[in-house]
């Protein structure tokens, strides 16, 4: 309780990192679960109808062939769709080089957007942590105010406290990890912007 409070920027960065790790872990788990389910279903179908259902290997090969036969224009569309600067670039011909002022505005807007996303994620973690801490404090106060002769709820109370403290510890760890991830992401974005040829005028 007497520890030096973390700076807001530190909390923000840590929170960003944590959210990114958490979302990535959840996404990987769900993808793996779906893939495993597909494999099981395919195996069952192969066993029941060996002449009618393609094996998983054949299906994957067919999918690869289908992707390879797609028009090349789709590759350009995909690159445009996932261009991390697309939302911040001036609405004009992409062949026209940016002025130094425009390039600086694009860089600032991109960093600002990233910063806001990281802060929002950090705020979510911090809010959850504060809610868990408040709930635990309220439960502790209520327990100590009750009749000491009534001990039937002691086990339930101790279980609640243990679980609440565990949740709080996990949230603190997530907050700390998020801070580190946020710092790294911000650093990586700065380096990416510095190496982006469209903003090269800023390096002159």
């Amino acid at each position: 309780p007497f520890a030096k409070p973390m700076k807001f920027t530190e909390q923000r960065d840590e929170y960003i990192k944590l959210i990114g790790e958490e979302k990535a872990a959840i996404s990987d788990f769900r993808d793996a679960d779906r893939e495993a389910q597909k494999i099981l279903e395919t195996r069952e179908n192969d066993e029941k109808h060996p002449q009618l259902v393609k094996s998983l290997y054949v299906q994957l090969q067919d999918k690869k062939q289908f992707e390879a036969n797609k028009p090349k224009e789709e590759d350009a569309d995909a690159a445009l769709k996932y261009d991390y600067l697309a939302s911040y670039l001036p609405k004009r011909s992409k062949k026209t080089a940016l002025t130094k002022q425009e390039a600086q505005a694009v860089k600032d807007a991109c960093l600002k957007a990233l910063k806001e996303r990281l802060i929002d994620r950090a705020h979510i973690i911090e809010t959850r942590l504060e809610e868990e801490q408040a709930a635990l404090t309220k439960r502790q106060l209520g327990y100590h105010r009750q009749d000491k002769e009534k001990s039937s709820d002691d086990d339930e109370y101790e279980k609640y406290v243990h679980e609440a403290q565990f949740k709080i510890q996990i949230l603190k760890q997530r907050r700390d990890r998020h801070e580190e991830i946020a710092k790294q992401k911000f650093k990586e974005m700065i380096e990416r912007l510095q190496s982006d040829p469209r903003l090269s005028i800023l390096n002159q």
Side-chain angles (χ1 to χ4, degrees):
F2 300 102
K4 183 179 180 180
M6 296 176 64
K7 294 182 179 179
F8 176 72
T9 54
E10 293 177 340
Q11 294 180 353
R12 174 201 63 198
D13 293 339
E14 179 60 25
Y15 188 75
I16 295 171
K17 178 180 179 181
L18 173 62
I19 292 299
E21 288 182 346
E22 185 175 15
K23 287 187 175 181
I26 293 174
S27 178
D28 292 342
F29 174 79
R30 288 176 177 173
D31 291 342
D33 185 63
R34 284 194 294 266
E35 186 64 26
Q37 186 63 31
K38 289 181 180 179
I39 292 174
L40 290 174
E41 291 176 355
T42 300
R43 287 180 178 177
E44 291 177 357
N45 289 331
D46 287 344
E47 293 175 356
K48 294 179 179 179
H49 311 287
Q51 301 300 323
L52 300 178
V53 181
K54 292 183 179 180
S55 68
L56 179 61
Y57 174 79
V58 174
Q59 293 181 45
L60 291 175
Q61 292 301 314
D62 290 344
K63 183 178 180 181
K64 289 182 180 180
Q65 186 62 39
F66 175 77
E67 294 292 338
N69 293 333
K70 283 185 177 181
K72 297 301 180 181
E73 288 76 5
E74 293 187 6
D75 294 337
D77 292 340
L80 176 61
K81 181 178 180 180
Y82 297 107
D83 181 3
Y84 75 110
L85 287 183
S87 300
Y88 315 110
L89 293 170
K91 305 299 182 182
R92 65 166 187 254
S93 174
K94 298 185 180 302
K95 296 182 179 180
T96 304
L98 299 177
T99 65
K100 190 167 187 176
Q101 182 178 3
E102 289 173 335
Q104 186 63 54
V106 169
K107 178 180 178 180
D108 292 344
C110 181
L111 290 175
K112 180 181 179 182
L114 174 60
K115 180 179 179 181
E116 291 176 348
R117 289 196 299 272
L118 295 177
I119 291 176
D120 289 342
R121 293 170 182 174
H123 179 68
I124 293 174
I125 294 178
E126 191 65 30
T127 298
R128 288 180 58 192
L129 175 58
E130 291 175 356
E131 289 175 349
E132 289 291 341
Q133 290 174 327
L136 175 58
T137 299
K138 181 178 180 180
R139 183 67 177 269
Q140 289 174 326
L141 291 174
Y143 176 78
H144 291 301
R145 288 173 181 171
Q146 72 180 6
D147 189 344
K148 297 302 181 181
E149 295 181 357
K150 296 180 180 179
S151 59
S152 59
D153 294 334
D154 287 353
D155 291 341
E156 180 182 351
Y157 169 74
E158 291 178 0
K159 180 180 179 181
Y160 171 83
V161 171
H162 177 74
E163 293 178 350
Q165 290 176 338
F166 178 75
K167 290 179 182 179
I168 290 172
Q169 182 63 27
I170 292 298
L171 287 170
K172 287 182 177 179
Q173 292 175 355
R174 289 178 177 178
R175 181 190 61 190
D176 294 340
R177 289 198 303 270
H178 173 70
E179 180 179 353
E180 293 302 321
I181 291 177
K183 291 178 181 179
Q184 183 62 29
K185 284 185 175 292
F186 208 78
K187 178 183 177 182
E188 290 175 353
M189 179 58 73
I190 291 176
E191 294 174 349
R192 186 177 185 183
L193 290 168
Q194 289 176 339
S195 61
D196 194 308
R198 293 169 293 183
L199 306 179
S200 60
I201 192 172
L202 296 176
N203 301 324
Q204 298 177 3

